[in-house]
Amino acid sequence: MERAQGLPPARFPLERGGTGDLLAGGADGPDRLRALTSVVLDTLETAARARGGPLPAGGPDAVARRTAALCDPVLPEEGVGAEAALADLVRAVAEGAADPADPACTAHLHCPPLAVAVAAEVAGAALNPSMDSWDQAPAAGVIEELTTAALARIVHPDAPAPDALITSGGTESNLVALLLARERAAPGPLRVVTGANAHHSVHRAAWMLGLPAPAVVPCRDGRIDPAALDRTLAALDGAPALVVATAGTTDEGRIDPLPEIADIAERYGAELHVDAAYGGPLLFSERLAPLLKGLDRAVSVTFDLHKLGWQPVAAGVLAVADTTLLAPLSLRTDYLNADDDTEAGLPDLLGRSIRTTRRPDALKIAATFRALGRRGLSELVEHCVRTAEEFGRAVDARPALRRRPGPIGISTVLFRPVVADARGPEAGDAVVAEVRRTLLLDGRAVLGRAVAEDGDGHHRLWLKATLLHPVAATADLLPLLDLVAEAAERAASGEGDGGGGDSEGGGGDTAAPAEERLSP
């Protein structure tokens, strides 16, 4: 075959002995992958020690400088080789990571993944099945089917034909739930009714699908007010409606009163979708599952496992009460699911998602389920909930700190320094924000922030600890409270400077030594 004029001969500088030097799959790939994985694991270990805490110190500019020094240029004219590239990039991303395996990393619904799930992820990445046709994922398709069937049965135990889809997370699950509801409501238009506590993805999904803006129901204590929901549905005068409730709000971990909401929705002929992206895994525990009473009455349920399920991102699920509800997702395209192929018995995977190319995310979920069983998962979920309750009591025992009144929301604890209360509303909230940024930029702790109602009815800014660590003990978390109290005293006295940084205000490389920054 003639070479294009002016182009040099093809050259593969990494090819030294067949495809085993280049590829992860095949019979030879694992040997090469084993060597490269050793580089990754060694680098992860040394980088975590070098970081010395839950977050890199110095702030965004300092992190950007250190990262660029190791990784720029990303696309050099001549490659540096696989080992060197991995060593530099893994070192950069690990030294510059927010590490959810550190007990002081508690800001978000951001979990430390289990080792068994990560190991399964490696296998899935090496084999690289694409979950849109049987001939790309023969066994992976079976594993996904078994996994989704198990999850569907957990969410809808009494339904005759429940089903579930693997998604990229709560945002996609909510989008698909609204899409399916829109199709059922045709000619519509569907009216979405949701609480003021709903995740932003509900509003975004309505916008993306061309639906009217959701009707927002007021909340009391972070939960949908049933009486207000009744009035809202009555005002719709029989229009097709989907009520979206939440089981585990992002800011407070609150669970809407699902049985009452289901009764009201049924009275007005509305359907119910529950966003249980956070709270869904409570179903693994016999003791905690009653907190989700009424969930099985929802026509669809969002359920994430990269939150309170310890999976690497992404691991989302949308469960439905009846598999026929998924029919609108069906699609025919000859190269993936031709009629004669499906008639001959080849499974049709294309209608299992709004995406085409999909990763085998069910593999890591299945590995975790098989490894731990429902009892093992239950123990981890209960540990997180119990630790949050103990952490809340520890806050109550500290005179310098104050917890938001009311019960703990699943595993989320809101609290603030008492010195902030001595200021006016704006100045007090500014102290809370300063404490969070100081600890972030020092690399000492990763705390979240949430605006929530206080005991006097006023909304205030709170520090948020979302406790998803499946093995960290309460004692591992207590030093975090000391850090907050110390930072609050500095902020209130005017000593804080936003967490350190250089004279240009960008967060320089003046961080405390690693041994002084070690997290609890």
Side-chain angles (χ1 to χ4, degrees), residues 221-260:
D221 195 29
R223 306 162 79 227
I224 285 180
D225 180 349
L229 174 63
D230 191 292
R231 292 191 296 270
T232 301
L233 288 175
L236 294 182
D237 198 25
L242 179 73
V243 177
V244 179
T246 307
T249 58
T250 303
D251 278 347
E252 304 177 57
R254 291 289 195 251
I255 298 172
D256 283 332
L258 301 180
E260 293 174 77

Side-chain angles (χ1 to χ4, degrees), residues 2-9:
E2 286 191 14
R3 196 169 68 245
Q5 188 175 3
L7 291 179

Side-chain angles (χ1 to χ4, degrees), residues 165-180 201 205 273-275 277 300-304 315-319 354:
L165 303 176
I166 299 296
T167 71
S168 60
T171 295
E172 183 185 338
S173 294
N174 287 337
L175 173 65
V176 176
L178 266 63
L179 168 65
L180 296 174
S201 62
H273 168 71
V274 178
D275 180 355
S300 55
V301 175
T302 291
F303 187 117
D304 271 8
V317 177
L318 176 67
I354 59 172

Side-chain angles (χ1 to χ4, degrees), residues 39-41 43-44 47 71 85-96:
V39 174
V40 170
L41 296 177
T43 306
L44 285 173
C71 304
L86 282 170
D88 287 344
L89 274 99
V90 174
R91 175 186 170 191
V93 76
E95 287 186 357

Side-chain angles (χ1 to χ4, degrees), residues 52-54 102-106 391 398 400-401 415 417 431-432 434-440 442-447 463 476-491 516-520:
D102 190 300
C105 190
T106 65
F391 185 77
R398 304 255 174 157
L401 303 174
F415 64 105
V431 169
V432 176
E434 174 84 7
V435 167
R436 176 178 177 271
R437 286 192 294 269
T438 295
L439 297 177
L440 280 177
D442 284 350
R444 292 174 178 266
V446 190
L447 285 163
L463 297 171
D476 299 322
L477 297 161
L478 296 183
L480 181 60
L481 300 180
D482 293 329
L483 293 175
V484 170
E486 292 166 8
E489 288 295 334
R490 295 202 307 272
E516 296 178 13
R517 296 193 295 109
L518 288 175
S519 62

Side-chain angles (χ1 to χ4, degrees), residues 286-304:
E286 289 186 9
R287 182 175 68 84
L288 299 174
L291 296 174
L292 298 182
K293 183 180 180 182
L295 184 73
D296 60 336
R297 297 174 64 183
V299 68
S300 55
V301 175
T302 291
F303 187 117
D304 271 8

Side-chain angles (χ1 to χ4, degrees), residues 361-439:
D361 289 317
L363 176 60
K364 62 197 174 193
I365 299 172
T368 302
F369 284 8
R370 287 274 293 172
L372 297 180
R374 189 161 182 171
R375 182 175 299 175
L377 291 165
S378 170
E379 290 174 358
L380 298 188
V381 171
E382 290 179 5
H383 171 85
C384 291
V385 172
R386 182 171 56 251
T387 300
E389 293 168 349
E390 293 171 354
F391 185 77
R393 289 195 289 271
V395 173
D396 293 339
R398 304 255 174 157
L401 303 174
R402 180 171 71 86
R403 184 170 60 84
R404 181 184 181 275
I408 301 296
I410 302 180
S411 64
T412 299
V413 182
L414 301 186
F415 64 105
R416 56 187 268 145
V418 171
V419 293
D421 293 339
R423 307 287 184 98
E426 290 187 13
D429 286 355
V431 169
V432 176
E434 174 84 7
V435 167
R436 176 178 177 271
R437 286 192 294 269
T438 295
L439 297 177

